[in-house]
Amino acid sequence: EIVIAVEAFFDEVKEEKLLLHNKKVLITAGPTRELVDPVRYFTNFSSGKMGYAIAKAAKKMGAEVTLITGPTSLEVPSGVTVKRVVSTQEMHDAVMEEFHNQDIVIKCAAVADYKPAVRYESKMKKNKQDWHIEMEKTVDILESLGQKKEHQVLVGFAAETNNLEEYARRKLEKKNLDLVAANDVSKEGSGFGSETNELVLFGKDGTKKVLPLVSKDKAAEMLLTEVSELLD
Amino acid sequence: EIVIAVEAFFDEVKEEKLLLHNKKVLITAGPTRELVDPVRYFTNFSSGKMGYAIAKAAKKMGAEVTLITGPTSLEVPSGVTVKRVVSTQEMHDAVMEEFHNQDIVIKCAAVADYKPAVRYESKMKKNKQDWHIEMEKTVDILESLGQKKEHQVLVGFAAETNNLEEYARRKLEKKNLDLVAANDVSKEGSGFGSETNELVLFGKDGTKKVLPLVSKDKAAEMLLTEVSELLD
C-alpha cells in the first residue's frame, strides 16, 4: 500500500510537470477538397503528417487534444478527439465551434484557399476543348480566428516555395497570430508527405528561431515546447 | 516418379484451362493528378480499387499482367508488373510504350481529362479575390489506343452520374472499343472508393449485359470472363 501511494504521488508529480498538463489544444490537419462536380475536385499535397504528429505530441505532453482533419490516410493518435471534414467551409465551421474554450490553437491544415465558384450536380461532360474554371476565395479560417482571439495562443503554418521569411512575417501580422511555423515545401526533407520537417518559427515579438531538420514527431515536440512558453 | 509425372500432367492441363493462360493484359488504374503549381492540383475520387482488382483477377486467370497506376494507397497484387505515373500525359506515354505487344488492354483509370493550361513554378499567392483557371483537354488515352489498335481487345470504362447507356455506347463507338464497362458512380455501392461494383457491359456488337452488385474482385472476374470470349 505504501508502494502504491508513493507511485501515485510520483505519477502526479510527473503529470504536473508535463508542459501542456490540462491544457486544451486544438489542431487542424491535412488538406481540404473543393468539388467541381461529383467526381472532380481541387486539392493539395498536404498529407496531414505534421498535424497528426502535433496532436500526438500534445497528448503526450498532457494536453486535452481535439484534431479537426481533412481527408488523409493516417491513423488518429489514441486519446485524441477527432472531427473529420472535407471542404474548407466545413473545417471553418468545426474550428469555430471549438475555439472559445481552447488554450492553444494550431492551424496546421493546408486548406484549399480557392474553390470552384460553381459546383455542378452531375459529372461535367468533356465536350469542350477548353474550360475556364472560375475560382473564388474560400473562407479564411486563420483570419477569422485572429479576429475572434481572446486568451488563446494562436499558431499558423506557412508552407512556401519562395520568400519564406517575408510571407511568414506578413501572415503573422495580418492574421493576428502569436507564432508562425514556416517551412519551405520545395526543400528536400521539408515538404508535403515527407517524414521530416525543418521549421522556422517567427514570433510576434520579432523573434526568429530556426529548428533543425528532424522527424515530424520531434519537430512537433519542439514546436509545442516553444508554444507552451507563450501561455500565461 | 509416376505420381510426379501425373501431377505435372494435371498441373499443365489445369494451367491450360485458365481463361487468360499466357495472355498479356495491360490495366490502367487510379486517378491522375494535374498540377496548378507545386502545391495545388486537380484530381478525382477514383480509389484504384477496381483496376487493382482486375489486375489481381487477370493474374489468377493465368495472364502476364502489367498495371499502370496513378497515385493510390493500394498494395500492388503479387506477380504483377507495376509502373507508377502522376499525370494523364505520363500515363499516356507509359501505356503507348506497352500497347503493341498486349492481347488485352483495360483502361480502368479515371484520368483527369482537363489540366491547367499554365503550371506555375512557384506556389501561387492568394492575393486575388477571384481566380480564373484556364483548363485544356488532356491527351485522350483511349482514343489514341483505339486509333492504334491492331489485334488487341480494347476495353474502356464509363463512370457516369446520369445517361449511363447513352454515354457508354457513344464512348464505345467514338473510341473504337470492343467493350465498355459502365457504372453509375452516384449509385450506392457502385461508386469510387466503394468495395463493390455494379457493372453494365456494352459490346460493339450491340449486346448489353447487366452484372449484379458484387465485390470488386468478383466484378473483375466476371468482366475478364466476358473479355476472354473476345480473344481470337
Side-chain angles (χ1 to χ4, degrees):
Chain A
E1 274 174 36
I2 293 170
V3 174
I4 291 169
V6 170
E7 271 179 0
F9 173 79
F10 281 110
D11 275 359
E12 220 166 273
V13 169
K14 196 178 153 202
E15 203 173 69
E16 275 172 14
K17 276 171 95 178
L18 290 173
L19 278 177
L20 298 176
H21 177 58
N22 274 351
K23 297 295 175 190
K24 286 182 173 245
V25 180
L26 176 68
I27 297 142
T28 69
T32 57
R33 293 174 177 173
E34 301 297 338
L35 275 65
V36 182
D37 66 21
V39 171
R40 301 172 176 97
Y41 64 91
F42 184 64
T43 189
N44 63 65
F45 284 108
S46 171
S47 64
K49 283 178 191 165
M50 192 64 223
Y52 280 59
I54 296 172
K56 192 174 132 192
K59 180 72 197 164
K60 210 170 125 190
M61 290 162 85
E64 199 176 303
V65 183
T66 304
L67 176 67
I68 299 179
T69 179
T72 74
S73 53
L74 303 175
E75 205 182 322
V76 175
S78 72
V80 166
T81 303
V82 69
K83 286 200 173 189
R84 297 181 187 281
V85 299
V86 175
S87 69
T88 300
Q89 185 65 50
E90 284 169 24
M91 185 168 281
H92 171 271
D93 297 348
V95 170
M96 284 305 162
E97 212 180 297
E98 302 291 335
F99 187 54
H100 63 283
N101 63 353
Q102 299 294 326
D103 298 301
I104 297 168
V105 176
I106 303 179
K107 202 217 143 262
C108 190
V111 302
D113 37 23
Y114 287 90
K115 65 178 176 186
V118 180
R119 177 169 153 187
Y120 298 93
E121 288 298 312
S122 297
K123 183 182 171 192
M124 249 271 309
K125 295 307 291 179
K126 53 172 177 178
N127 18 37
K128 304 180 290 186
Q129 194 52 44
D130 298 313
W131 182 17
H132 295 262
I133 302 185
E134 271 186 65
M135 306 287 279
E136 56 185 34
K137 265 195 178 172
T138 54
V139 57
D140 192 321
I141 300 176
L142 209 43
E143 199 164 274
S144 303
L145 292 175
Q147 282 162 8
K148 222 183 155 185
K149 189 169 77 165
E150 295 161 355
H151 58 281
Q152 298 92 342
V153 174
L154 187 55
V155 181
F157 267 74
E160 304 294 345
T161 56
N162 50 313
N163 305 337
L164 191 68
E165 180 151 359
E166 182 196 339
Y167 290 147
R169 287 205 188 277
R170 198 187 295 168
K171 193 169 197 171
L172 183 77
E173 193 177 343
K174 198 177 157 206
K175 310 280 172 85
N176 190 26
L177 310 180
D178 298 291
L179 192 80
V180 163
N183 61 325
D184 184 340
V185 290
S186 69
K187 234 170 145 177
E188 187 79 33
S190 186
F192 289 135
S194 108
E195 299 301 328
T196 54
N197 212 346
E198 191 173 358
L199 296 176
V200 187
L201 309 183
F202 298 97
K204 72 170 166 186
D205 55 357
T207 54
K208 173 182 177 177
K209 189 155 189 171
V210 182
L211 301 185
L213 176 64
V214 289
S215 72
K216 284 187 171 174
D217 281 346
K218 186 71 193 160
E221 242 183 82
M222 296 173 91
L223 170 65
L224 286 169
T225 303
E226 294 295 321
V227 171
S228 71
E229 287 172 17
L230 302 176
L231 288 166
D232 293 329
Chain B
E1 271 173 39
I2 292 170
V3 174
I4 291 169
V6 170
E7 272 180 358
F9 172 77
F10 280 110
D11 275 358
E12 218 165 278
V13 169
K14 196 178 152 201
E15 204 173 68
E16 273 171 16
K17 276 171 94 181
L18 289 174
L19 277 177
L20 298 177
H21 177 58
N22 274 353
K23 296 295 174 190
K24 285 180 174 245
V25 180
L26 176 69
I27 297 142
T28 69
T32 58
R33 293 174 176 174
E34 301 296 340
L35 276 63
V36 183
D37 65 24
V39 170
R40 303 172 176 96
Y41 62 91
F42 281 94
T43 189
N44 63 63
F45 284 107
S46 170
S47 64
K49 283 178 190 164
M50 191 64 223
Y52 280 60
I54 297 172
K56 193 174 131 193
K59 180 73 197 166
K60 211 171 126 190
M61 290 165 83
E64 198 177 304
V65 183
T66 304
L67 176 68
I68 299 179
T69 180
T72 75
S73 54
L74 303 175
E75 205 181 323
V76 175
S78 72
V80 166
T81 303
V82 69
K83 285 199 172 186
R84 297 182 187 280
V85 299
V86 174
S87 70
T88 299
Q89 185 65 51
E90 284 168 26
M91 185 169 279
H92 171 271
D93 296 349
V95 169
M96 284 305 161
E97 211 179 298
E98 301 291 334
F99 188 55
H100 63 282
N101 62 354
Q102 299 295 326
D103 297 300
I104 296 169
V105 175
I106 302 179
K107 201 217 144 261
C108 190
V111 301
D113 35 24
Y114 288 90
K115 65 177 177 186
V118 180
R119 177 170 155 187
Y120 297 92
E121 287 298 314
S122 296
K123 183 182 169 193
M124 248 268 310
K125 294 308 289 178
K126 53 171 175 177
N127 18 38
K128 303 181 289 187
Q129 193 53 42
D130 298 314
W131 183 17
H132 296 263
I133 303 184
E134 272 186 66
M135 305 288 280
E136 56 183 36
K137 264 195 178 172
T138 53
V139 56
D140 192 322
I141 299 176
L142 209 44
E143 198 164 274
S144 303
L145 291 175
Q147 283 162 6
K148 222 184 154 186
K149 190 169 77 165
E150 295 161 351
H151 58 282
Q152 297 93 341
V153 174
L154 186 56
V155 181
F157 267 73
E160 304 294 346
T161 57
N162 50 313
N163 305 335
L164 191 68
E165 178 151 0
E166 183 197 337
Y167 290 148
R169 288 207 189 278
R170 197 187 297 169
K171 193 168 195 170
L172 183 78
E173 193 177 342
K174 197 178 157 205
K175 309 281 172 85
N176 189 26
L177 309 180
D178 298 289
L179 192 80
V180 163
N183 61 326
D184 184 340
V185 290
S186 70
K187 235 170 146 178
E188 187 79 29
S190 187
F192 289 136
S194 109
E195 299 300 329
T196 53
N197 212 346
E198 192 173 357
L199 296 176
V200 186
L201 309 184
F202 298 97
K204 71 170 168 189
D205 55 358
T207 54
K208 173 183 177 176
K209 189 157 191 172
V210 182
L211 301 185
L213 176 64
V214 289
S215 71
K216 284 187 171 174
D217 281 348
K218 186 70 194 161
E221 242 184 83
M222 296 174 91
L223 170 65
L224 287 169
T225 303
E226 293 295 320
V227 171
S228 72
E229 286 172 16
L230 302 176
L231 288 166
D232 293 330

